[in-house]
Amino acid sequence: MPSAIIHRCIHKKVLEKTKKFKTDYDKYIYDISSVAPDSWRNTNELKNSKLPKKLKRKISHFSLDTEFVEHYELFKRKYKKDINHPFVFGYLVHLMTDNFWRLEMYYKRNYDINNIDSELLNIDFSNEKTNLNKAIDIFTKDLKKQFSINELTPLKEKDIDSLPKIEELPYDGINTTIRFTNEQLNKEFDEEAKEYNLKDMINGIETISNKIIEELKKEKIL
């Protein structure tokens, strides 16, 4: 549901607050991981598959068959051995961001969160132009400036080969995704945001980065 700019801002805030990675290369790989889980859209496997696109998204985001909610705890359990690698750690942060962003920025404003049914959990909000998604697009350039987000450098082949393997995601679509998200950083939108404003976006990024850190500390990952 959050676009690349939201993922990259939250990733950056988590890193700033935790100082989890020290070297420039580790920080670079961690930054790449902010958008990599969404590269399922650009893989050869998807292009050559007859399976529905939504199913591919569910696989890479650890959603159950009947849901679109990201079960990041399943990812954490499966890849616990490599959880401190910047790519694996960042993949986990991506899934947590999707999960918490939907809850904090969408469900809490539009639904009774004590009464969310299975039908709602199965809506693929990532493909719906809700007022929230439109606002993210409109405020992308402002968030880019506010959080000093720069374009990502595509991975070299040797870098891709050295990444820990995430079975649920082929890596051949990562660089296409990087190029697409770089283009999005400079896109102009003439529309005015409805319901959400820039302050909402900034507060959401701060709130969710704090929630992620709190959860990671509770799980003794930080």
Side-chain angles (χ1 to χ4, degrees):
M1 190 172 177
S3 69
I5 188 65
I6 299 296
H7 279 292
R8 293 195 62 201
C9 290
I10 291 175
H11 261 65
K12 187 166 188 177
K13 293 305 294 184
V14 169
L15 183 59
E16 286 177 355
K17 293 174 182 181
T18 63
K19 297 180 170 53
K20 174 77 173 172
F21 303 110
K22 309 296 183 186
T23 70
D24 288 342
Y25 184 74
D26 281 354
K27 291 175 183 177
Y28 163 65
I29 295 298
Y30 170 74
D31 201 0
I32 293 289
S33 73
S34 66
V35 300
D38 287 332
S39 66
W40 62 270
R41 293 184 177 93
N42 299 307
T43 61
N44 289 325
E45 181 180 327
L46 181 66
K47 294 171 188 172
N48 299 325
S49 174
K50 294 181 180 179
L51 292 174
K53 287 185 179 181
K54 289 183 177 183
L55 180 58
K56 292 298 182 182
R57 199 264 181 194
K58 287 186 178 188
I59 292 170
S60 66
H61 284 65
F62 289 75
S63 300
L64 303 181
D65 288 345
T66 57
E67 297 178 357
F68 267 93
V69 176
E70 302 75 17
H71 288 278
Y72 58 84
E73 68 279 2
L74 299 178
F75 175 88
K76 179 187 64 182
R77 195 179 308 142
K78 181 171 182 177
Y79 294 103
K80 186 176 182 179
K81 179 174 67 72
D82 293 317
I83 205 68
N84 288 310
H85 186 283
F87 188 78
V88 179
F89 180 82
Y91 201 117
L92 175 61
V93 172
H94 178 105
L95 298 183
M96 295 175 79
T97 297
D98 279 341
N99 189 301
F100 292 163
W101 183 266
R102 182 187 289 104
L103 175 65
E104 295 292 329
M105 298 294 288
Y106 194 77
Y107 286 167
K108 282 187 177 180
R109 290 180 72 138
N110 295 283
Y111 299 96
D112 174 4
I113 62 169
N114 295 313
N115 190 31
I116 294 176
D117 61 21
S118 58
E119 184 178 355
L120 179 61
L121 294 178
N122 199 33
I123 296 176
D124 180 11
F125 288 108
S126 63
N127 288 328
E128 286 200 0
K129 276 300 177 185
T130 61
N131 285 337
L132 175 56
N133 286 359
K134 288 177 183 177
I136 295 171
D137 287 343
I138 292 165
F139 294 122
T140 288
K141 290 189 78 173
D142 297 292
L143 294 171
K144 172 187 172 184
K145 183 177 180 181
Q146 175 77 21
F147 292 92
S148 301
I149 301 297
N150 299 315
E151 291 189 5
L152 283 167
T153 303
L155 288 164
K156 296 177 181 177
E157 190 172 337
K158 66 179 179 64
D159 296 321
I160 295 176
D161 291 341
S162 68
L163 294 175
K165 184 61 182 169
I166 306 296
E167 293 178 9
E168 291 75 12
L169 181 74
Y171 291 169
D172 61 291
I174 293 178
N175 280 339
T176 301
T177 301
I178 288 171
R179 287 188 283 270
F180 174 77
T181 56
N182 285 343
E183 291 171 5
Q184 293 299 105
L185 285 177
N186 302 306
K187 219 170 170 187
E188 298 283 354
F189 293 91
D190 296 329
E191 297 178 74
E192 288 189 10
K194 299 176 182 177
E195 189 179 347
Y196 296 87
N197 56 41
L198 180 58
K199 187 177 179 182
D200 290 328
M201 302 291 109
I202 293 171
N203 287 344
I205 288 165
E206 290 288 344
T207 297
I208 291 159
S209 61
N210 287 334
K211 281 178 68 70
I212 289 171
I213 291 169
E214 181 182 344
E215 182 75 10
L216 292 172
K217 285 182 176 177
K218 192 189 305 179
E219 296 294 324
K220 296 184 168 49
I221 295 173
L222 288 175

